[in-house]
Amino acid sequence: MSVWSRLTGAVHEISAAGVDFVEHLVERVAGTEDDRRAVAFTAAIVALSAKMAKADGVVTSDEIAAFKRNIFVPPTEEKNITRLFRLAQQDVAGFEAYAHRIKSLFPHDHMLRADIVDVLFKIATADGVVHHHELVFLERVAEIFGIEEIEFRRIRARHVREDGVDPYMVLGVEPGVDDATLKRHYRRLVVEHHPDRLIARGVPHEFIDIANDRLAAINAAYEQIQRERST
């Protein structure tokens, strides 16, 4: 059973939104702890995406369409995902309350919280640019999640192409790093961001494209540095 099927099966029992609705969804999911973590991750993405879409104070019919363009939702599950998206969007609770509650679901899993921010950036850049209200939203969510500024800037650098890409920022190293240290660091990043590592953290298979996108950005940054150093 896909994560979407598990999630939407629980949605039927949720009649109202609220900052605890993600937890209520997880409680209604039958299966293993890994199943519940996958549903919690997915529900967090849907809820925070809905809040991000509303961050500028304007709600339009295009927002759920933008979400589904970036996150594949099976046609059979679209109706329920749309309902979940709207529930979170209509809730009067602010996005910060949601972020704090979602952090409490993954209190000891910093990397998984960073994965959530990474996916949100992917959704935010759907139209080719991160708008100011979206960036403010993402910065605050990252702060609540305990993601330090330097790490947030690395995540941002993988998605936002302002005035070119700083390959050193993407890799998280200083420009003066020597070649041997750079290579070791690069190889460690490749291992850390392998799709199998994300799955082991509880990221659903349906979101594995974030690992492929990360690896592509890491490889491109490393290759750019190599080219620049060889000239």
Side-chain angles (χ1 to χ4, degrees):
M1 182 181 292
S2 75
V3 67
W4 294 115
S5 297
R6 294 184 184 279
L7 180 61
T8 57
V11 168
H12 288 296
E13 301 181 35
I14 303 296
S15 60
V19 293
D20 57 352
F21 93 99
V22 173
E23 291 174 276
H24 288 170
L25 283 170
V26 176
E27 290 171 358
R28 287 165 172 75
V29 173
T32 66
E33 180 62 26
D34 286 344
D35 292 333
R36 286 187 285 273
R37 283 173 63 83
V39 167
F41 180 90
T42 307
I45 295 298
V46 175
L48 286 176
S49 296
K51 289 299 184 182
M52 182 167 63
K54 194 179 177 182
D56 62 352
V58 178
V59 179
T60 73
S61 59
D62 294 334
E63 291 155 353
I64 186 65
F67 174 83
K68 289 187 287 189
R69 278 198 304 271
N70 287 273
I71 304 298
F72 174 74
V73 178
T76 56
E77 310 295 346
E78 286 186 359
K79 182 177 179 180
N80 286 316
I81 293 301
T82 298
R83 180 170 181 267
L84 181 59
F85 191 94
R86 295 305 184 202
L87 280 174
Q89 203 168 51
Q90 293 164 9
D91 181 28
V92 296
F95 77 88
E96 292 178 329
Y98 274 72
H100 280 293
R101 189 57 60 90
I102 289 166
K103 180 183 179 182
S104 72
L105 291 174
F106 308 108
H108 308 299
D109 201 332
H110 178 87
M111 287 296 294
L112 194 61
R113 298 196 299 272
D115 292 336
I116 292 173
V117 174
D118 210 354
V119 175
L120 290 173
F121 255 110
K122 177 180 175 64
I123 294 168
T125 55
D127 56 0
V129 61
V130 178
H131 300 281
H132 176 71
H133 69 271
E134 292 171 327
L135 186 57
V136 171
F137 175 97
L138 291 164
E139 287 175 339
R140 180 59 182 142
V141 169
E143 181 182 2
I144 292 170
F145 281 3
I147 296 171
E148 295 183 357
E149 182 180 357
I150 187 65
E151 183 178 3
F152 178 80
R153 289 171 62 192
R154 287 201 299 269
I155 296 173
R156 174 179 172 172
R158 291 199 294 266
H159 297 276
V160 180
R161 304 294 193 266
E162 295 177 344
D163 300 323
V165 179
D166 181 350
Y168 294 96
M169 177 59 68
V170 172
L171 297 182
V173 295
E174 295 295 328
V177 65
D178 63 81
D179 290 345
T181 302
L182 175 64
K183 179 179 287 188
R184 287 195 299 271
H185 181 76
Y186 162 72
R187 288 176 173 173
R188 180 173 61 80
L189 289 178
V190 169
V191 172
E192 286 180 357
H193 296 290
H194 190 278
D196 289 346
R197 288 290 185 96
L198 269 73
I199 293 172
R201 290 202 294 271
V203 176
H205 288 269
E206 288 82 354
F207 290 88
I208 211 60
D209 278 351
I210 66 172
N212 296 327
D213 291 344
R214 282 183 193 171
L215 284 177
I218 290 167
N219 288 332
Y222 183 67
E223 290 169 4
Q224 181 180 341
I225 293 173
Q226 285 188 309
R227 287 196 302 271
E228 291 174 352
R229 291 189 173 191
S230 65
T231 58

